[in-house]
Amino acid sequence: MSLSGMRGLSVFISDVRNCRNKEQERLRVDKELGNIRTRFKNEKGLSPYEKKKYVWKMLYIYMLGYDVDFGHMEAVSLISAPKYPEKQVGYIVTSCLLNENHDFLRLAINAVRNDIIGRNETFQCLALTLVGNIGGREFAESLAPDVQKLLLSSSCRPLVRKKAALCLLRLFRKNSDVVNVDGWSDRMAQLLDERDLGVLTSSMSLFVALVANNHEAYSSCLPKCVKILERLARNQDVPQEYTYYGIPSPWLQVKTMRALQYFPTVEDPTTRRALFEVLQRILMGTDVVKNVNKNNASHAVLFEALALVMHLDSEKEMMSQCVALLGKFIAVREPNIRYLGLENMTRMLMVTDVHEIIKRHQAQIITSLKDPDISIRRRSLDLLYGMCDVTNAKDIVEELLQYLATADFAMREELALKAAILAEKFAPDLSWYVDVILQLIDKAGDFVSDDIWFRVVQFVTNNEDLQPYAALKAREYLDKPAIHETMVKVSAYLLGEYSHLLARRPGCSPKEIFSLIHEKLPTVSTPTISILLTTYAKILMHSQPPDPELQNQIWAVYSKYESCIDAEIQQRAVEYFALSRKGEALMDILAEMPKFPERQSSLIKKAEDTDADTAELSAIKLRTQQQASTALVVTDQRPSNGAPQVSQLAMVMIPTTNDTDHTPPVDQPLTESNGALTVVDPQPSGDILGDLLSPLAIDESQSVHDVGSNDALALAPIEDQESTVKPIGDIAERFHALCLKDSGVLYEDPYVQIGIKAEWRNHQGRLVLFLGNKNTGPLDSVQAVVLPPSHLRVEISLVPEIIPPRAQVQCPLEIVNLRPSRDVAVLDFSYKFGTQLVNNRLRLPAVLNKFFTPIQVTAEEFFPQWRSLSGPPLKLQEVVRGVRPMPLGEMANLFNTLRLMVCPGLDPNAFNLVASTTFYSESTRAMLCLVRIETDPADRTQLRMTVASADPTLTFELKEFIKEHLVNIPTAAKPLPPQQPQPPPIATSDPGALLAGLL
């Protein structure tokens, strides 16, 4: 593609490259675009050379990142040119500038088809490349039969047939329902007999896609694949150009073995024997050499062969040979080969009867756990976790505990969890299990979840013989000068329940136990203080009749916390103080905890989930997922309301579900995770929440666009509906408005209106969705599914499948906040009106500030709490820039709207703000949050913000939440003006008219 003859194009490229800054470049590009537009308006005076030159310039401008919104017709018209230079330009520029849904592509279909069925091989290659690059539905419908004929034609050269195979593969992946491949088994068998390796490689790529879709229809092709492998393994009839570093066509070998993994098994004994001989040859002939390129090719073939061996579940001898080969790989110096060896050995764990063989390499795997490469360390950890059983659990867990002290912070949480799971699953005795968990907490307390120490407490409570031992170990850890807060929780609980079992041991009297625990009180957070107060009450109960000195010390602690700002601590202190005065009755009230009911461990459940995830990595399932995901992108039916509104959910972390992209069938009931299923009355009820969207007696004369009024729902007659359903009003503005208030309209379009009324109390909330049908016809196939983030537990009642005309249904939601997070729940709402399917994903206003309760604090309460939270991560400070300028009073009103109570008079600087609130969640309960804003009167666009709380996650989330509202403060949605007559369509080739239309 020589451009040397186009002087104007060369000069333009030179001018652009010589521009000193972006502004000069933009001016030069705008000047050239104006010149091209002017010349295209007088198209009759353009020669083919000039048209080609200007289209090349358009492509270069497009490659620079500028929008080219004209000249598409000129590029498409060049496809019909009789000469190669013009036709080449047309094909290249069209494939770059136009997408599969562009209207101009319809004009090119006939010209492309003429080139495909023509006799000029060069033109055929250009046309096939365009069709393969764009791959639109209309191309597939019109051109797929011609591409199939070209692929099967014996008169075409291999170059054309290769492109035809890849073009058909692209069309099938994007439009599998359009491309007809019924009865292609015999044709594929014919293609697999091809002697030309280029055509065979392209055909094998197509074959992999076909068998992934339906392997049963192509079972007759299985012996052909084995023959291909035999031919390549023996290096028979393989041209030199297809031999890569002495390996015959490694790409074809990999694709062939991947295709074989889609068949359940090889039934024919002759074919199976031949296949195993080929696999044996591959396993025996692969070794590590110094040449990196040869290593890459040979190992690609080898690991695909290993996956096929595992899939076929071959003889134990071959499995042993595979494990021995992988054991040799994990001992080499090359990190990539070690990684692949560890990864494939982990996959081998899914095969029966190889665990004992893998255990022989345990020492080398443990050595890999200390590798400098973190990816190798992770794979080693996965492999050790998978190969652990009763016989080697003690050795592996001790190695993990030893490694825990020096492990990267990125791995410690996973490492601690897996060590705890292994200790629980394979513990030789319970005392060893207690030792392991306490060592875990001691070495990596920050990375030990609450589930781990909860499980220790359950074991100790349910096993009386274990209680003295556990209490003694807890007492020993308390002797250390500095221990983690989680260790304080465990030790306090165990000693509170069972310290009386150690009373005869030296240093274990109630007074000494209390002194040890009380030394840790100033250093712990609010939730731990609650546990310690309970422990003091238990110690006092076990020392009946009480020691007066001990009793007075504990009473002094309770008296101190009776006026605590935290409600949970205050309540415990008051109640325990009152209970401790009841004397011997205290022993009945605070008796030992009963045994926990037998239930599945949450850690074991995590282990099962992890095992399930590992099993999903098997080669056949992995290939199936990859093929399914490739086809899913292009075959998913778009809802009739146009493109999905990505902008409304761009900043939302949508939680992962098992089937996110697939709307469940209408007749499929919701699972229990969505709460109790109750039938919702389709008629408006007289409930106090029912007045939000009522009355539903709709006046037909009311305008559909009267968004500002909530008195009635506008009627949109059925016959007047447009084919494209678009929301009325700004969805983002409606969501932001509901973040600051508890009732309003969440979404509205010509057919339906969704309103919300919510009530929040502490960490719980009740939210009612009002689904109103605005039309004279029913809404069918109605579905509402809530996709909750991990920090919310949401229960939603069942939504009726049909909403009658002009009716309203209520859908209650129960929401529980588990922990602090800014992620939001998403409502997946869909319905069908007539033939139109409408689907929307809407953010629900169950945001962080809904779980705030404003609280007024005095200087005596504020400053001790502020000083106790000395620094990160409990107290975070940040300079926020880009703040919307606003008076201090407006900022105070914003904070009050966000349920952060401004406390005047606490900061001596008049330009500063201090606010406080109480955050509620199931994990933190009530937790005080303090905020200080320092503004600069000379520059209102920046401020310094300090946020403090006793929970590091809450502190960070609250800081980011406030920053979002200060930097980008949502404004209330304005009522839309009455509907105006629509202007005539704007010509797409006139950017001035387009700009005027947008304005």
Side-chain angles (χ1 to χ4, degrees):
M1 186 176 62
S2 175
L3 305 179
S4 58
M6 298 183 185
R7 183 174 178 276
L9 177 60
S10 302
V11 170
F12 171 62
I13 294 176
S14 177
D15 290 346
V16 171
R17 290 177 175 175
N18 292 332
C19 291
R20 297 183 179 179
N21 51 51
K22 191 68 177 177
E23 184 64 22
Q24 286 186 3
E25 179 184 294
R26 187 183 61 80
L27 292 175
R28 181 65 183 92
V29 169
D30 288 345
K31 178 182 177 182
E32 192 63 37
L33 286 175
N35 179 44
I36 297 173
R37 186 181 289 110
T38 304
R39 297 305 301 269
F40 279 168
K41 285 182 180 179
N42 186 21
E43 188 176 355
K44 294 181 180 180
L46 283 179
S47 65
Y49 164 79
E50 291 177 320
K51 183 184 292 188
K52 179 177 65 173
K53 178 179 67 174
Y54 292 135
V55 170
W56 275 131
K57 288 184 178 181
M58 286 168 44
L59 178 61
Y60 181 70
I61 292 172
Y62 176 78
M63 292 169 62
L64 291 175
Y66 296 93
D67 291 333
V68 179
D69 53 2
F70 70 97
H72 299 162
M73 187 63 190
E74 285 74 11
V76 172
S77 65
L78 286 175
I79 294 177
S80 305
K83 295 183 180 180
Y84 173 76
E86 287 80 12
K87 189 180 288 288
Q88 177 202 33
V89 176
Y91 275 117
I92 292 177
V93 177
T94 300
S95 62
C96 292
L97 294 186
L98 305 186
N99 59 37
E100 62 183 81
N101 299 317
H102 203 286
D103 294 335
F104 284 168
L105 282 180
R106 298 175 184 173
L107 305 177
I109 288 179
N110 286 333
V112 174
R113 185 173 184 273
N114 291 335
D115 286 339
I116 289 177
I117 64 178
R119 294 295 180 182
N120 191 316
E121 294 176 351
T122 306
F123 292 175
Q124 286 177 330
C125 291
L126 288 174
L128 292 171
T129 303
L130 173 72
V131 175
N133 283 337
I134 294 180
R137 192 174 186 83
E138 293 187 5
F139 273 15
E141 292 173 349
S142 305
L143 304 177
D146 297 316
V147 177
Q148 292 176 2
K149 291 178 183 178
L150 207 59
L151 173 61
L152 299 172
S153 173
S154 59
S155 60
C156 289
R157 289 179 57 192
L159 174 65
V160 179
R161 297 180 65 196
K162 283 194 298 184
K163 287 187 175 292
L166 296 177
C167 178
L168 188 60
L169 171 62
R170 168 74 165 171
L171 294 178
F172 179 75
R173 282 178 173 173
K174 295 201 69 176
N175 310 280
S176 57
D177 57 330
V178 174
V179 180
N180 184 13
V181 292
D182 295 337
W184 258 67
S185 177
D186 296 336
R187 297 177 182 178
M188 283 308 308
Q190 175 188 342
L191 288 171
L192 294 180
D193 284 333
E194 179 66 41
R195 304 308 296 173
D196 184 275
L197 287 188
V199 178
L200 188 56
T201 304
S202 301
S203 301
M204 188 59 71
S205 299
L206 176 62
F207 181 66
V208 170
L210 294 175
V211 295
N213 190 50
N214 181 15
H215 67 84
E216 296 177 355
Y218 299 92
S219 57
S220 61
C221 298
L222 196 149
K224 304 280 187 182
C225 295
V226 177
K227 287 184 179 179
I228 293 173
L229 283 177
E230 282 187 295
R231 172 188 171 188
L232 296 174
R234 295 173 182 171
N235 202 359
Q236 294 177 346
D237 193 19
V238 178
Q240 184 63 33
E241 60 267 23
Y242 287 98
T243 302
Y244 184 77
Y245 286 91
I247 303 172
S249 190
W251 305 276
L252 181 56
Q253 293 189 55
V254 168
K255 290 179 181 179
T256 306
M257 287 186 285
R258 186 171 301 176
L260 288 173
Q261 293 174 54
Y262 288 103
F263 295 97
T265 184
V266 182
E267 301 291 346
D268 182 54
T270 306
T271 305
R272 185 178 179 89
R273 190 182 314 112
L275 178 58
F276 282 161
E277 288 178 2
V278 173
L279 294 176
Q280 185 79 20
R281 186 188 297 265
I282 293 173
L283 294 178
M284 295 294 293
T286 305
D287 205 350
V288 180
V289 296
K290 292 185 178 180
N291 191 299
V292 177
N293 293 323
K294 184 173 183 179
N295 271 340
N296 291 339
S298 61
H299 291 140
V301 175
L302 172 66
F303 290 123
E304 203 66 45
L306 289 173
L308 183 56
V309 169
M310 287 187 283
H311 171 70
L312 296 176
D313 198 11
S314 57
E315 293 81 0
K316 185 176 180 181
E317 182 181 351
M318 184 172 285
M319 290 292 185
S320 303
Q321 186 178 351
C322 292
V323 175
L325 188 61
L326 293 175
K328 186 166 61 173
F329 284 168
I330 65 176
V332 301
R333 296 182 59 185
E334 173 61 35
N336 293 329
I337 298 176
R338 282 207 311 278
Y339 178 89
L340 291 172
L342 291 167
E343 183 181 41
N344 282 272
M345 194 173 282
T346 306
R347 292 183 179 183
M348 292 290 289
L349 291 171
M350 295 178 292
V351 182
T352 55
D353 301 331
V354 298
H355 286 71
E356 294 300 324
I357 308 173
I358 294 178
K359 286 181 186 177
R360 300 172 189 169
H361 305 279
Q362 179 174 319
Q364 184 61 45
I365 298 169
I366 291 174
T367 304
S368 299
L369 197 61
K370 303 175 178 63
D371 194 274
D373 192 330
I374 188 172
S375 58
I376 293 179
R377 295 199 298 271
R378 287 187 182 278
R379 294 289 77 80
S380 303
L381 177 60
D382 292 339
L383 181 53
L384 286 172
Y385 175 75
M387 64 186 284
C388 185
D389 58 17
V390 180
T391 60
N392 59 359
K394 225 169 183 179
D395 296 334
I396 290 179
V397 172
E398 287 176 2
E399 287 290 342
L400 295 182
L401 288 175
Q402 184 179 352
Y403 174 60
L404 189 62
T406 58
D408 291 346
F409 286 98
M411 287 184 61
R412 287 194 180 184
E413 184 174 0
E414 180 185 6
L415 190 62
L417 176 62
K418 290 187 173 180
I421 292 172
L422 294 178
E424 180 176 345
K425 289 178 68 175
F426 307 113
D429 57 78
L430 291 179
S431 60
W432 179 80
Y433 170 71
V434 171
D435 289 339
V436 169
I437 301 303
L438 292 181
Q439 288 183 59
L440 269 181
I441 297 173
D442 186 45
K443 293 182 177 181
D446 288 331
F447 304 95
V448 175
S449 64
D450 288 343
D451 290 335
I452 294 176
W453 77 268
F454 288 169
R455 191 61 177 164
V456 174
V457 167
Q458 293 174 19
F459 270 113
V460 175
T461 304
N462 291 3
N463 294 272
E464 295 182 2
D465 297 338
L466 188 62
Q467 292 167 1
Y469 180 79
L472 181 61
K473 297 298 291 185
R475 164 71 177 78
E476 291 175 1
Y477 276 101
L478 282 179
D479 280 335
K480 293 187 175 183
I483 59 174
H484 193 270
E485 187 170 339
T486 305
M487 182 65 76
V488 176
K489 294 179 183 178
V490 181
S491 301
Y493 182 91
L494 294 176
L495 291 174
E497 292 289 337
Y498 311 115
S499 62
H500 63 284
L501 302 177
L502 309 176
R504 296 182 180 180
R505 294 177 179 267
C508 296
S509 66
K511 188 183 299 184
E512 290 171 315
I513 295 292
F514 169 76
S515 300
L516 275 175
I517 298 176
H518 192 57
E519 288 177 0
K520 314 298 181 185
L521 182 66
T523 63
V524 298
S525 62
T526 303
T528 310
I529 293 177
S530 303
I531 297 176
L532 296 188
L533 295 181
T534 305
T535 301
Y536 299 161
K538 292 275 187 176
I539 293 175
L540 199 59
M541 179 268 295
H542 286 306
S543 62
Q544 294 294 330
D547 181 347
E549 184 180 354
L550 175 62
Q551 187 179 55
N552 291 334
Q553 290 177 343
I554 294 177
W555 282 359
V557 175
Y558 289 155
S559 300
K560 174 184 176 182
Y561 284 102
E562 279 182 339
S563 58
C564 179
I565 193 171
D566 186 273
E568 176 72 18
I569 294 178
Q570 185 185 78
Q571 181 179 357
R572 292 195 184 211
V574 171
E575 291 178 355
Y576 289 150
F577 188 43
L579 290 173
S580 63
R581 296 175 179 271
K582 294 187 177 294
E584 295 184 357
L586 187 63
M587 299 186 67
D588 296 328
I589 300 172
L590 294 178
E592 286 186 12
M593 288 290 292
K595 292 186 177 182
F596 290 92
E598 293 297 331
R599 59 190 177 193
Q600 184 185 17
S601 166
S602 59
L603 299 181
I604 298 295
K605 187 175 184 305
K606 288 182 181 179
E608 292 174 352
D609 295 341
T610 305
D611 292 342
D613 293 341
T614 305
E616 288 295 316
L617 292 177
S618 64
I620 176 64
K621 294 181 179 179
L622 185 62
R623 306 302 178 209
T624 306
Q625 289 176 355
Q626 290 173 348
Q627 292 294 334
S629 63
T630 304
L632 181 65
V633 177
V634 293
T635 60
D636 191 17
Q637 180 183 358
R638 287 179 178 269
S640 61
N641 59 337
Q645 300 178 2
V646 181
S647 60
Q648 306 300 335
L649 295 173
M651 299 302 292
V652 182
M653 294 176 63
I654 299 179
T656 303
T657 61
N658 291 333
D659 197 2
T660 306
D661 294 324
H662 176 68
T663 305
V666 175
D667 57 351
Q668 178 181 348
L670 295 176
T671 60
E672 292 183 1
S673 62
N674 283 337
L677 303 181
T678 57
V679 179
V680 183
D681 184 7
Q683 299 297 331
S685 67
D687 185 66
I688 57 172
L689 298 177
D691 60 347
L692 179 64
L693 297 178
S694 61
L696 277 166
I698 308 169
D699 184 32
E700 295 188 4
S701 63
Q702 185 174 350
S703 170
V704 173
H705 293 273
D706 189 11
V707 184
S709 172
N710 290 332
D711 295 337
L713 290 175
L715 172 65
I718 300 174
E719 59 272 14
D720 293 340
Q721 296 297 341
E722 298 179 357
S723 60
T724 300
V725 180
K726 295 185 178 179
I728 299 174
D730 191 317
I731 297 178
E733 289 184 1
R734 293 183 185 276
F735 168 77
H736 288 306
L738 286 170
C739 290
L740 304 179
K741 59 182 183 179
D742 291 333
S743 63
V745 177
L746 178 67
Y747 171 83
E748 183 176 6
D749 63 31
Y751 302 143
V752 72
Q753 187 183 62
I754 302 177
I756 279 184
K757 194 162 189 178
E759 184 178 358
W760 308 93
R761 178 173 298 175
N762 297 344
H763 66 287
Q764 298 177 335
R766 175 179 171 83
L767 190 147
V768 181
L769 296 175
F770 296 84
L771 311 176
N773 183 359
K774 300 166 53 176
N775 291 275
T776 56
L779 299 180
D780 300 323
S781 304
V782 179
Q783 290 193 7
V785 179
V786 176
L787 308 176
S790 59
H791 75 285
L792 292 181
R793 184 167 64 242
V794 181
E795 296 179 359
I796 180 173
S797 60
L798 185 64
V799 178
E801 184 179 332
I802 299 175
I803 301 180
R806 302 186 184 182
Q808 179 192 94
V809 299
Q810 299 180 16
C811 181
L813 282 80
E814 300 292 335
I815 300 176
V816 178
N817 183 30
L818 304 179
R819 58 182 178 276
S821 177
R822 288 173 294 125
D823 300 342
V824 299
V826 176
L827 173 67
D828 192 346
F829 179 76
S830 62
Y831 66 90
K832 183 184 290 186
F833 184 79
T835 60
Q836 298 206 41
L837 177 64
V838 184
N839 180 264
N840 280 287
R841 285 190 173 183
L842 308 169
R843 291 176 291 179
L844 291 176
V847 291
L848 190 70
N849 64 310
K850 299 297 184 181
F851 307 102
F852 288 165
T853 300
I855 181 173
Q856 185 79 36
V857 295
T858 62
E860 292 77 15
E861 298 168 328
F862 175 86
F863 289 107
Q865 190 74 16
W866 185 261
R867 294 189 189 99
S868 66
L869 304 171
S870 56
L874 301 182
K875 181 186 289 185
L876 298 177
Q877 188 174 89
E878 182 178 351
V879 176
V880 183
R881 295 181 174 82
V883 178
R884 175 186 165 191
M886 68 183 83
L888 203 60
E890 183 179 341
M891 186 179 295
N893 292 335
L894 172 65
F895 274 39
N896 289 328
T897 309
L898 295 175
R899 305 189 181 192
L900 296 165
M901 180 167 287
V902 176
C903 305
L906 292 183
D907 198 308
N909 192 333
F911 298 103
N912 295 350
L913 283 180
V914 173
S916 61
T917 190
T918 303
F919 174 80
Y920 289 89
S921 70
E922 195 169 76
S923 61
T924 62
R925 294 297 175 181
M927 184 162 290
L928 181 66
C929 305
L930 304 175
V931 181
R932 185 187 185 204
I933 303 294
E934 300 170 79
T935 65
D936 183 4
D939 185 5
R940 290 288 186 181
T941 63
Q942 65 177 1
L943 53 83
R944 183 164 64 182
M945 174 172 57
T946 309
V947 179
S949 77
D951 183 83
T953 304
L954 174 59
T955 304
F956 175 78
E957 295 290 345
L958 177 58
K959 176 181 72 69
E960 296 298 317
F961 178 78
I962 297 174
K963 186 169 69 172
E964 290 173 359
H965 284 267
L966 289 175
V967 173
N968 184 18
I969 300 175
T971 57
K974 298 181 180 180
L976 296 177
Q979 188 173 7
Q980 299 294 334
Q982 295 295 327
I986 300 170
T988 57
S989 61
D990 187 357
L994 281 173
L995 180 60
L998 290 173
L999 293 177

